[in-house]
Amino acid sequence: MAGRKPGSHAQTARVLRLLDRLTGRRAGVALRDLAEGLEVTERQIRRDLAALEAAGHDVEIGPRDGRATARLLSASARAVSVTRRERYTLLSVRRVFDVLRGTPFFEDVESLYDKLTQSMSADDRAELTQFGERFAYVPDGGTKPYKGKDEVLDALQTGVLNRRLVRYGYRAPAGKRHGGVLAPYAIVLYRNGLYAVGLRLGDEAPASLPVPLPSTRPFVYAIERFTEAELLKGQRFEVPPDIRL
């Protein structure tokens, strides 16, 4: 897509994900784990940490258990009391999201899971590990591939949360390609696959948008079939009040 420096969008998205992974972790996160989770080198992680510091975040890098570890000094983390039943339910939710491995949704659930378990005692964490054999989720029909769709999912998720337009490219099941501008209303998990629901506004962003958008039946797009997606600057939209998933 034209109009941006190559790689700049990917780095910005990665730095934001890095901030999410560090926030709330009092003990910090090993640079090696950050690099593996974000699929970059430790050298790149250090550059991204420098970008966080330049943005005003107080980052400390030091040794912990023999490994270089980064943590946010300004981030506060309060201990959360979690019952045994809640710990089991927490693990169950995490297991269900295994079908979305390779997506920001899986990463967010895993990050939240790790943050909550950090506030537990050593005995509670050991018990939670044992719970792993007491709940299983077996998807009917297998899972869908989302490798390489990070930027697509980031754009669509931000579009849904902030009501922002998205320029996209898409490959239909028959192989025909099309694209344009989409107002994404929601993301749906259906039969172990992710779908974007929204209104296609044409090939180019309109000069102005009706508020709210017209009550036209939205389209449904399988996210693994998106070839690209990018947030558009400026305009925001409002979902028609009578639209129901």
Side-chain angles (χ1 to χ4, degrees), residues 114-150:
D114 289 344
K115 289 176 183 178
L116 289 175
T117 56
Q118 278 195 12
S119 67
M120 297 178 186
S121 68
D123 290 341
D124 287 345
R125 287 197 298 271
E127 184 182 56
L128 191 62
T129 301
Q130 296 175 358
F131 283 168
E133 299 178 357
R134 304 181 196 178
F135 185 92
Y137 176 60
V138 182
D140 181 15
T143 60
K144 291 190 174 186
Y146 294 107
K147 187 174 179 60
K149 300 296 181 182
D150 293 36

Side-chain angles (χ1 to χ4, degrees), residues 68-132:
T69 300
R71 70 187 184 101
L72 291 177
L73 298 180
S74 58
S76 61
R78 297 181 180 179
V80 178
S81 178
V82 183
T83 67
R84 172 177 289 181
R85 183 180 295 272
E86 288 170 340
R87 292 197 297 273
Y88 183 65
T89 301
L90 174 65
L91 178 68
S92 305
V93 171
R94 185 179 182 277
R95 286 282 185 255
V96 171
F97 270 73
D98 281 347
V99 300
L100 300 181
R101 188 178 296 274
T103 73
F105 292 100
F106 175 83
E107 293 172 0
D108 289 344
V109 169
E110 189 175 51
S111 176
L112 178 61
Y113 178 86
D114 289 344
K115 289 176 183 178
L116 289 175
T117 56
Q118 278 195 12
S119 67
M120 297 178 186
S121 68
D123 290 341
D124 287 345
R125 287 197 298 271
E127 184 182 56
L128 191 62
T129 301
Q130 296 175 358
F131 283 168

